[in-house]
Amino acid sequence: STFFICSFTVRVCADFEGQSISDEIVLKGELQLDSLKQKGAVKRTLFFDYHQSHHYFSIVMERQKQLHCQDFLVYLRDETEFRDKLSPININFNYSLDESSFEDSLTVKPILNHYQKSSLAEQAYILVDCGEDNLCIPDLQLSAVPDTDQLIIGEENCVMLMINPRNDGEGAYEAELHIKIPPEADYTGVERNNKALRVLSCDYKMENETRMVVCDLGNPMVAGANFSTGIRFSVQHFENADFSINFELQIKSSNKINPTSNLVNLQINISAVAQVQIRGVSHPPTIILPLYNWEPKDEPTKEEEVGPLVEHIYELHNIGPSAINNTVLHVGWPVSSREEFLLYILHIQTHGPLHCQTSSPINKMQIKFAVPQDTPELAAFLYNSTISHSIRRRDVAVAEPHRKNSAKILNCTNVKCVLISCTVGQLERGKSAALKIRSRLWAQTFLERKNDLYSLSSNVSFEVKSMPYKVQPAKLPEGSIAIRTSVVWSTPNVSFEIPLWVIILAILLGLLVLALLTLALWKCGFFDRARPPQDDMADRQQLTNNKTTDA
């Protein structure tokens, strides 16, 4: 804006008249500049001599019917020190008689005119560039668009509002962009990395429990202003979020006519998406029969007497991004066939927010077993590690089946199963719940069916019932897998084991035979060396010397 004056003069004048009164009367005066501004607000004008907006003084009148005046020079603060340029500057003057100046005489004491107020008020205006009428009529327009139309619960969800304010009319004073923030969002700042976007000065405010971001658009926002800016928000609080969030934007100014722009409502949809994975493993994947140095017992009491250890581990993993809760997990475990045990469950262990129960009691035979304090297989599986699992046995060669895929699959469709039902609590993004079933292969059942190949299959399935939000996806995650443990037969190698005493005896016999052979060769003179006669050696030497001389 253009200010045509930076200072002005305030003149205060007074006179008096009356009969039988003193020829000299003193008035006490008080001048207040910009008196309509509340206490603590910036006063736009100050007295030049005092640099204050408040001044007390006296007016001495020494003659009746003669005007007595005092002038005070007032200046306008720098425009950067205040924002209000449109409202009038109110100048208030209060006065009263200075009774301390009255003389103790027979003269009548003067009084103020009761038909006039003891205070006067005048107004001054700041001249702005608003045409001849000094009345600014802006035409504020606002448009905005978010950089995404979809928010997924669990993602980082940073939103930037691309905002375009413009003024197609005259100057808009104290122009501000007001953005009403939804409860799910937090203001994070102004976009500064894009040179095409203007960097505004913005502040976070609370207005009547309404969360706002207020940005300065200029004072004034000049005629013809048209620019773009970016305001960033982080959206994370989805606990009570509906299917969308809303931002309300509007430009406001202190102009009396057309002070605001159009109201803009931005709606961004919210969705919940979770990718859930079920996986499992058998430790070991294959059991080889017969077992070395093992004999079945009719009534086993210890787990080693039942058969080899078989463990199945299942993991329910939430890849995300959204959280899941109220999930059910079902495991079908092949326990017996025709009253003969297959995989005998000893113990069920859980990891994470998982609670399980079985359709029938486990370990009915009351077989004693040891529960390990740590479970390296489970920990390795959860952390994608690799741990070797082996059964100590003799080296054997696995018999080739007579035909491919000849192993009979034993699962819940053809054998009796125990149903293990689990409820899974809330799983955030990247979290897992795991179930470990520790069992023993009932070896006696399979040893009675020599050379028959089997594949024992446990089936695990899951279904997510809900997510911990008001927003629910159209289809909740579900899935299933089958984990198999193979039972195969080996072809024993006759030389699988040589006793130690046999090895020592063979070495000793070998050494004895070697000694006898050496002795026999020595007796036969095999080690005696044949030497040539001395005369023959001299003749050969002479012949060699003659040949050398002739040459």
Side-chain angles (χ1 to χ4, degrees):
S1 64
T2 301
F3 297 94
F4 294 98
I5 57 170
C6 293
S7 62
F8 59 94
T9 300
V10 176
R11 173 169 289 183
V12 178
C13 296
D15 65 354
F16 72 99
E17 62 177 315
Q19 295 180 355
S20 301
I21 62 174
S22 173
D23 289 335
E24 181 178 309
I25 296 177
V26 179
L27 289 178
K28 293 190 296 184
E30 177 191 9
L31 270 178
Q32 296 179 9
L33 302 179
D34 215 359
S35 59
L36 296 181
K37 289 294 182 182
Q38 295 181 355
K39 185 177 181 180
V42 175
K43 304 291 186 178
R44 293 170 290 178
T45 52
L46 302 174
F47 290 104
F48 186 82
D49 292 330
Y50 315 109
H51 303 292
Q52 299 289 331
S53 61
H54 206 103
H55 181 56
Y56 295 94
F57 61 98
S58 298
I59 302 177
V60 179
M61 298 177 288
E62 298 177 343
R63 187 178 301 175
Q64 295 191 39
K65 297 181 181 181
Q66 183 174 344
L67 202 61
H68 298 79
C69 297
Q70 287 190 31
D71 292 339
F72 301 93
L73 184 61
V74 175
Y75 70 94
L76 191 68
R77 285 179 183 265
D78 189 274
E79 62 177 301
T80 59
E81 299 181 48
F82 63 93
R83 291 184 56 81
D84 181 12
K85 300 176 183 178
L86 294 181
S87 65
I89 298 173
N90 197 74
I91 302 170
N92 193 60
F93 174 59
N94 298 313
Y95 62 94
S96 62
L97 287 171
D98 185 0
E99 296 183 0
S100 64
S101 63
F102 296 165
E103 296 180 358
D104 294 333
S105 62
L106 298 176
T107 57
V108 178
K109 294 182 179 179
I111 60 172
L112 295 177
N113 188 346
H114 290 288
Y115 297 102
Q116 290 183 353
K117 295 180 179 180
S118 60
S119 63
L120 299 173
E122 295 291 340
Q123 290 182 337
Y125 289 86
I126 300 174
L127 296 178
V128 291
D129 190 10
C130 291
E132 294 182 358
D133 57 0
N134 200 38
L135 181 64
C136 287
I137 304 176
D139 183 7
L140 299 171
Q141 301 295 326
L142 181 64
S143 62
V145 62
D147 62 350
T148 180
D149 59 355
Q150 186 79 21
L151 297 174
I152 299 177
I153 300 176
E155 292 284 13
E156 188 175 354
N157 291 326
C158 292
V159 178
M160 183 169 70
L161 304 184
M162 303 292 294
I163 305 169
N164 173 228
R166 71 178 193 271
N167 182 9
D168 296 336
E170 295 177 307
Y173 286 83
E174 297 183 76
E176 293 177 335
L177 172 64
H178 289 240
I179 305 174
K180 183 179 178 181
I181 308 173
E184 299 81 5
D186 292 309
Y187 169 64
T188 58
V190 180
E191 174 60 34
R192 300 177 184 274
N193 297 324
N194 191 335
K195 294 182 179 180
L197 301 178
R198 180 180 293 186
V199 178
L200 299 181
S201 175
C202 300
D203 293 311
Y204 173 81
K205 296 182 179 180
M206 286 287 293
E207 295 182 1
N208 299 326
E209 299 184 356
T210 300
R211 301 163 68 234
M212 303 284 294
V213 171
V214 180
C215 303
D216 183 13
L217 298 179
N219 188 22
M221 182 180 179
V222 297
N226 186 352
F227 56 89
S228 296
T229 187
I231 311 296
R232 289 194 169 276
F233 298 90
S234 175
V235 186
Q236 298 294 336
H237 312 293
F238 292 103
E239 291 78 10
N240 299 311
D242 292 322
F243 289 91
S244 63
I245 61 172
N246 292 277
F247 292 87
E248 291 185 5
L249 301 89
Q250 190 175 33
I251 301 174
K252 296 183 179 181
S253 71
S254 60
N255 295 59
K256 295 186 178 301
I257 303 176
N258 291 346
T260 61
S261 71
N262 55 301
L263 183 65
V264 176
N265 282 290
L266 296 181
Q267 178 175 298
I268 305 176
N269 295 326
I270 298 174
S271 63
V273 178
Q275 182 181 352
V276 183
Q277 181 186 58
I278 183 71
R279 59 178 183 155
V281 67
S282 172
H283 291 293
T286 302
I287 300 293
I288 301 175
L289 297 179
L291 303 174
Y292 167 64
N293 198 22
W294 185 89
E295 293 295 334
K297 290 190 176 182
D298 293 336
E299 295 183 359
T301 58
K302 299 179 181 180
E303 62 174 308
E304 295 82 4
E305 298 172 351
V306 174
L309 179 67
V310 176
E311 294 177 329
H312 283 197
I313 303 174
Y314 317 98
E315 182 195 34
L316 186 70
H317 179 67
N318 182 17
I319 300 175
S322 304
I324 60 172
N325 66 351
N326 192 19
T327 303
V328 293
L329 183 75
H330 296 294
V331 179
W333 186 265
V335 65
S336 63
S337 176
R338 299 176 183 177
E339 303 303 324
E340 294 179 296
F341 287 119
L342 300 174
L343 287 175
Y344 187 85
I345 299 178
L346 297 172
H347 179 66
I348 296 175
Q349 180 184 0
T350 61
H351 176 86
L354 196 66
H355 302 281
C356 301
Q357 59 184 9
T358 59
S359 58
S360 60
I362 61 175
N363 195 14
K364 295 180 180 179
M365 305 288 291
Q366 298 295 315
I367 293 175
K368 297 179 181 180
F369 65 93
V371 179
Q373 295 299 321
D374 55 348
T375 55
E377 298 91 351
L378 180 58
F381 182 70
L382 292 176
Y383 292 100
N384 296 319
S385 303
T386 301
I387 281 188
S388 60
H389 303 274
S390 59
I391 298 176
R392 294 182 179 178
R393 59 185 185 274
R394 64 184 183 270
D395 294 333
V396 294
V398 179
E400 291 292 334
H402 298 291
R403 60 186 182 276
K404 291 184 177 180
N405 302 324
S406 60
K408 183 177 181 180
I409 298 176
L410 302 179
N411 57 26
C412 295
T413 62
N414 52 19
V415 299
K416 183 180 179 181
C417 282
V418 169
L419 180 62
I420 304 170
S421 300
C422 305
T423 57
V424 186
Q426 183 164 319
L427 290 179
E428 299 291 340
R429 180 181 189 174
K431 299 299 182 180
S432 299
L435 172 67
K436 176 183 176 182
I437 302 177
R438 190 167 184 265
S439 71
R440 290 276 175 170
L441 181 77
W442 201 274
Q444 178 64 29
T445 302
F446 297 91
L447 290 175
E448 294 175 356
R449 296 162 177 81
K450 190 173 182 180
N451 293 328
D452 289 346
L453 306 179
Y454 293 96
S455 180
L456 298 164
S457 177
S458 65
N459 301 312
V460 57
S461 63
F462 75 92
E463 182 181 359
V464 178
K465 296 294 186 180
S466 66
M467 292 185 175
Y469 317 106
K470 286 185 178 180
V471 180
Q472 298 291 317
K475 181 175 176 57
L476 291 164
E478 59 181 12
S480 64
I481 56 170
I483 305 301
R484 295 181 179 180
T485 303
S486 300
V487 179
V488 299
W489 291 81
S490 64
T491 301
N493 187 346
V494 177
S495 61
F496 66 90
E497 183 176 355
I498 301 175
L500 181 61
W501 67 270
V502 175
I503 297 174
I504 296 173
L505 181 60
I507 294 173
L508 293 176
L509 288 176
L511 293 175
L512 180 60
V513 171
L514 179 61
L516 292 175
L517 180 60
T518 303
L519 180 61
L521 291 175
W522 180 70
K523 289 291 185 180
C524 296
F526 179 77
F527 299 102
D528 294 335
R529 299 180 63 183
R531 301 178 182 274
Q534 296 294 329
D535 294 340
D536 292 342
M537 290 296 293
D539 292 341
R540 289 181 182 178
Q541 184 176 3
Q542 182 64 35
L543 179 59
T544 301
N545 293 336
N546 292 338
K547 288 182 179 181
T548 303
T549 303
D550 294 340

